């Protein structure tokens, strides 16, 4: 019986070896198939080139039609700058805004540089930013710009407590201001 088991094992091994040998022979066929595919790929672009040219022409026509359909937008006449949560109360910012409203940008910046108010610095920064937006983004002339609108509104309110007598506490509201500046070009 031991001999029969050995014969079965060797018989089982022989077909496995027989299966491996044809796999090695099949490899050259794969190489030939790969070479044939490469030849087909090389020939294919020559056939697709006219189709690509036609697609490019169609895209060009679409772009021309879009250009014809476009309506010219009116020229932009104002530039805006918005500053959020300036750490000063809105009432103090409004006092500064009232001084420069309607003035030219150069005159407003001159006034703010000499104004003895805490809010003059953020207001001056906002006016400079709005003027820069007008010049860089919309091509306006810097010497013709004026502060058309400037307004300060209530921003974030920070609520805190302050200690008081006999172990009590009182509420404290620290106000912030939002600032909006619109500059326009004088005609």
């Amino acid at each position: 019986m031991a001999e029969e088991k050995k014969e079965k094992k060797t018989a089982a091994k022989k077909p496995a070896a027989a299966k491996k040998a044809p796999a090695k022979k099949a490899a050259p066929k794969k190489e030939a198939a790969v070479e044939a595919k490469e030849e087909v790929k090389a020939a294919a672009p020559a056939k697709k080139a006219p189709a690509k040219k036609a697609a490019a022409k169609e895209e060009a026509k679409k772009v021309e039609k879009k250009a014809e359909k476009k309506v010219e937008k009116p020229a932009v006449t104002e530039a805006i700058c918005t500053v959020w949560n300036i750490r000063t109360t809105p009432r103090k910012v409004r006092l500064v805004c009232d001084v420069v409203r309607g003035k030219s940008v150069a005159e407003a910046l001159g006034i703010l540089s000499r104004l003895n108010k805490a809010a003059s610095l953020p207001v001056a920064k906002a006016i400079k930013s709005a003027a820069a937006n007008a010049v860089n983004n919309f091509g306006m002339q810097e010497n013709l710009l004026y502060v058309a609108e400037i307004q300060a509104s209530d921003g974030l309110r920070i609520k805190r407590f302050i200690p008081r007598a006999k172990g009590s506490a009182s509420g404290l509201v620290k106000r912030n201001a939002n600032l909006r500046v619109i500059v326009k070009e004088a005609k």
Side-chain angles (χ1 to χ4, degrees):
M1 287 199 176
E3 291 175 13
E4 290 177 5
K5 288 182 181 177
K6 288 181 181 178
E7 287 177 17
K8 287 181 182 178
K9 287 181 181 177
T10 55
K13 289 182 180 178
K14 287 180 183 176
K19 288 180 183 176
K20 289 182 181 176
K24 291 180 181 178
K25 291 179 182 176
K29 290 180 183 177
K30 288 182 182 177
E31 291 174 5
V34 170
E35 290 175 5
K37 286 182 181 177
E38 290 176 0
E39 290 174 8
V40 171
K41 287 181 182 177
K47 293 178 183 176
K48 291 182 180 178
K52 287 183 179 179
K53 289 180 182 176
K57 287 180 183 178
E58 290 177 12
E59 289 180 26
K61 288 179 183 178
K62 288 179 183 178
V63 171
E64 288 175 10
K65 287 180 182 178
K66 286 182 182 179
E68 291 172 5
K69 289 181 181 178
K70 284 185 181 177
V71 178
E72 290 187 25
K73 295 179 181 178
V76 179
T77 59
E78 62 184 32
I80 301 172
C81 173
T82 306
V83 183
W84 301 97
N85 297 321
I86 298 170
R87 195 59 194 93
T88 309
T89 62
R91 182 178 177 182
K92 293 176 182 177
V93 176
R94 282 188 201 110
L95 290 171
V96 176
C97 291
D98 292 340
V99 173
V100 295
R101 189 175 288 117
K103 305 270 194 295
S104 70
V105 170
E107 188 179 351
L109 293 174
I111 292 170
L112 291 173
S113 67
R114 304 302 295 164
L115 194 62
N116 189 19
K117 298 280 183 187
S120 62
L121 182 64
V123 171
K125 278 184 163 182
I127 291 173
K128 285 179 187 176
S129 179
N133 289 342
V135 172
N136 295 326
N137 298 345
F138 306 118
M140 297 182 196
Q141 294 180 2
E142 190 172 6
N143 56 353
L144 298 178
L145 295 176
Y146 70 99
V147 180
E149 293 180 33
I150 184 166
Q151 60 186 16
S153 60
D154 208 21
L156 185 69
R157 292 181 180 189
I158 303 171
K159 295 180 180 176
R160 298 288 182 259
F161 288 100
I162 188 167
R164 306 302 273 180
K166 298 182 182 179
S168 64
S170 295
L172 186 67
V173 178
K174 297 182 176 185
R175 290 179 170 83
N176 291 324
N178 295 335
L179 180 64
R180 185 168 181 253
V181 180
I182 299 177
V183 295
K184 291 186 179 179
E185 196 172 29
K187 296 179 182 180

